[in-house]
Amino acid sequence: LTYMEPGKGYMLYRNTSTDTTFYYPNLPGILGVAVGKNSPDNTDLLSGHTVAYNPNSDQIPVAGNFSYANNMTMIAVMGREFHLLPGDKVLAYSGKELIGKAEAIPNPVTKGTSFFMNIAGDEPKQVTFKIERNGDIEAVSSSVLDYARNLEIGTVEDPYKLHFKSLINGVAVFPNPFSDHVNIYAALSGGSSTHTIQISVYDAAGRLVYQNTPVPVNGTVYQTTWNGRGNNGADCSPGIYFININIDGVPHTQKVFKYE
């Protein structure tokens, strides 16, 4: 068995009468509390029985998957505009929270590879995706998904297609075009160095419509959003805008389109 499909039940067949060990992820959280060694006396909180707890050292789950009681599933493939390399991983985010992670595995139905993901959450939210390569973010998704509990996105026969755009000088804005907000992402060099970042937005005529106060940022990643409003608080008209991300005095400009 190489994968399990949502909505289908599975039975474990044993051809011997010897004991079988079942592994639970070694992480705290809602799902962890429900089963296994998460009480002081090794008592399973569902059955009340003393249990043996065996964390699976081969499993590297995402902590966000165990912080919620609900999730949605996604079976996805990569769009042709991005070249996937062995070892690349897809990361699912809600804002800055990592809520899903997967590496491509063989899909015997399509004869290619697919990502089988659990994306966790209890409330509706927007989910964005990134490509991680050797610990660094290589690309970001050009679209945003709306999260819903128990939603099934994609099938083994027809996986959902994820589209990505590579970072340009370490910077990306997405989705593009956008309606009510656009995400701004910057990969920062220098490890734990402090960087100064300022966001400015200009319309097609070159007029400044929005600018924030320069902010100091520590670490290797900066993320924020622009809500499509000017500094006066009014909605900007649909059209072309230029978002300038100034990092330590170096400008990075990307063109976006805002629609109704």
Side-chain angles (χ1 to χ4, degrees), residues 9 23-24 26 28 30 39 49 58 64 68 87 109 115-116 146 165 185 195 204-205 211 231 237 242 244 250:
Y23 291 98
Y24 287 108
N26 188 19
I30 291 176
S39 57
H49 299 150
D58 294 328
Y68 302 92
V109 177
F115 295 92
F116 293 76
D146 291 322
K165 59 183 301 183
Y185 176 91
H195 302 269
Q211 188 174 65
N231 279 124
S237 302
F242 296 90
N244 178 272
V250 179

Side-chain angles (χ1 to χ4, degrees), residues 59-130:
Q59 187 173 11
I60 308 175
V62 173
N65 283 144
F66 301 89
S67 301
Y68 302 92
N70 298 282
N71 60 34
M72 74 178 188
T73 59
M74 183 177 74
I75 302 175
V77 293
M78 194 71 58
R80 292 186 176 181
E81 70 282 351
F82 183 83
H83 180 60
L84 194 70
L85 297 181
D88 285 356
K89 297 176 178 62
V90 170
L91 283 61
Y93 282 89
S94 171
K96 296 182 180 180
E97 183 184 15
L98 181 62
I99 55 174
K101 187 174 185 179
E103 188 170 344
I105 64 173
N107 183 332
V109 177
T110 63
K111 307 303 181 183
T113 60
S114 296
F115 295 92
F116 293 76
M117 299 188 72
N118 284 322
I119 300 172
D122 292 332
E123 302 296 334
K125 54 190 174 184
Q126 291 189 317
V127 182
T128 59
F129 300 88
K130 300 176 184 178

Side-chain angles (χ1 to χ4, degrees), residues 180-240:
D180 55 359
H181 80 279
V182 61
N183 299 289
I184 300 168
Y185 176 91
L188 306 176
S189 59
S192 59
S193 301
T194 300
H195 302 269
T196 300
I197 299 180
Q198 185 175 37
I199 306 298
S200 305
V201 181
Y202 299 86
D203 64 15
R207 294 170 296 203
L208 179 68
V209 297
Y210 170 82
Q211 188 174 65
N212 69 352
T213 302
V215 294
V217 178
N218 293 315
T220 59
V221 171
Y222 173 73
Q223 297 182 80
T224 189
T225 61
W226 177 50
N227 61 7
R229 296 176 181 269
N231 279 124
N232 59 3
D235 274 325
C236 293
S237 302
I240 293 174

Side-chain angles (χ1 to χ4, degrees), residues 145-156:
L145 287 181
D146 291 322
Y147 175 87
R149 291 180 293 176
N150 300 322
L151 183 65
E152 300 171 13
I153 300 177
T155 63
V156 177

